[in-house]
Amino acid sequence: EISEMSERSKQNVAHGLAWSYYVGYLKIVLPRVKKSMEEFTSNNPNLLACRKTWKLHILIPLSCDVYDDLEKADSNIQYLTDLTETTLARAGTKKRVYKHSLYAIRDEENELWHCAVEYATPLQSLYAMSQDECAAFSREERLEQAKLFYRTLEEILKGSKECAGTYRLIAYEDPGEAETHFLSREILWHLRQQHHEEFPVHEETPPPTPSTTLDSAELNLQISMSDLPQPLRSDGF
């Protein structure tokens, strides 16, 4: 009966996507991110001076609007290069390649900030389901699923020791009106926050402009906790 209720409310969709994303991808690549950053920095010491930004920045637009080319999403985001790739045998595929792209983000003063950034790819599945009659996903249901995906992924990663300090989730709502450089501003806000964590600023320095990025507290107000799926384990993790 509980399973049928979960099926009807589609709670298992976002929950399953979050776990699949973690087990099948993030748990594999995140523990190797800092090593890739170190190797890149040894040859390019000035680009990633702030160690706090040596993370994979994961974009989570709640609209599920994912661009395959970040440069087309925002002209202030420029592809720079790929970090050192990881090659593994995976599910029958020999030498499967995992890699991340490094981008230069241009700010209002024409200064470049560098980071590894990519979208959470399961959001493409949520978007595709909302366009497929068989899935019967409305736009409102897609939004709720995106929120639940973010909340579930955040909880999973918080409990993962091997992934600690290797990622930064950037969940946000797209602006109502088209803003040319909205995405670059979102990423820059997070990069500046990390710089302030590593390099304390003078008290007279004005704080950075608040981001429109959503945190988990805001999402808690938008999602009923009673509707969330229960954890698969009962030992507190």
Side-chain angles (χ1 to χ4, degrees), residues 59-162:
L59 302 175
I60 305 179
L62 297 183
S63 66
C64 298
D65 192 4
V66 172
Y67 285 80
D68 290 324
D69 189 340
L70 277 170
E71 293 175 307
K72 291 182 179 179
D74 190 322
S75 59
N76 277 350
I77 303 175
Q78 302 168 4
Y79 169 77
L80 190 62
T81 187
D82 290 330
L83 296 176
T84 305
E85 63 187 35
T86 297
T87 304
L88 299 171
R90 187 75 175 169
T93 301
K94 296 288 188 180
K95 298 181 180 180
R96 183 167 184 176
V97 176
Y98 298 87
K99 64 180 180 180
H100 310 292
S101 295
L102 193 70
Y103 287 87
I105 317 296
R106 189 178 303 277
D107 67 12
E108 304 83 0
E109 313 231 337
N110 222 27
E111 180 183 352
L112 294 179
W113 302 62
H114 301 88
C115 69
V117 59
E118 61 188 49
Y119 284 102
T121 52
L123 295 179
Q124 289 181 310
S125 297
L126 282 178
Y127 187 85
M129 289 177 70
S130 71
Q131 304 298 308
D132 193 312
E133 293 181 1
C134 295
F137 248 31
S138 68
R139 180 178 298 181
E140 292 74 20
E141 287 173 325
R142 184 182 71 198
L143 176 60
E144 290 305 310
Q145 289 295 312
K147 294 175 184 176
L148 185 53
F149 171 82
Y150 168 68
R151 291 269 294 115
T152 305
L153 183 61
E154 183 183 45
E155 289 301 314
I156 293 171
L157 288 171
K158 280 182 178 179
S160 175
K161 294 180 181 179
E162 57 262 64

Side-chain angles (χ1 to χ4, degrees), residues 59 73-74 76-77 105-108 170 172 175 177-193 208-213:
L59 302 175
D74 190 322
N76 277 350
I77 303 175
I105 317 296
R106 189 178 303 277
D107 67 12
E108 304 83 0
I170 305 178
Y172 59 90
E177 299 179 0
E179 293 186 30
T180 308
H181 302 303
F182 171 80
L183 185 56
S184 59
R185 287 201 302 272
E186 288 295 312
I187 299 171
L188 284 167
W189 187 86
H190 281 268
L191 293 177
R192 285 167 175 151
Q193 285 291 306
T209 304
S211 168
T212 57
T213 301

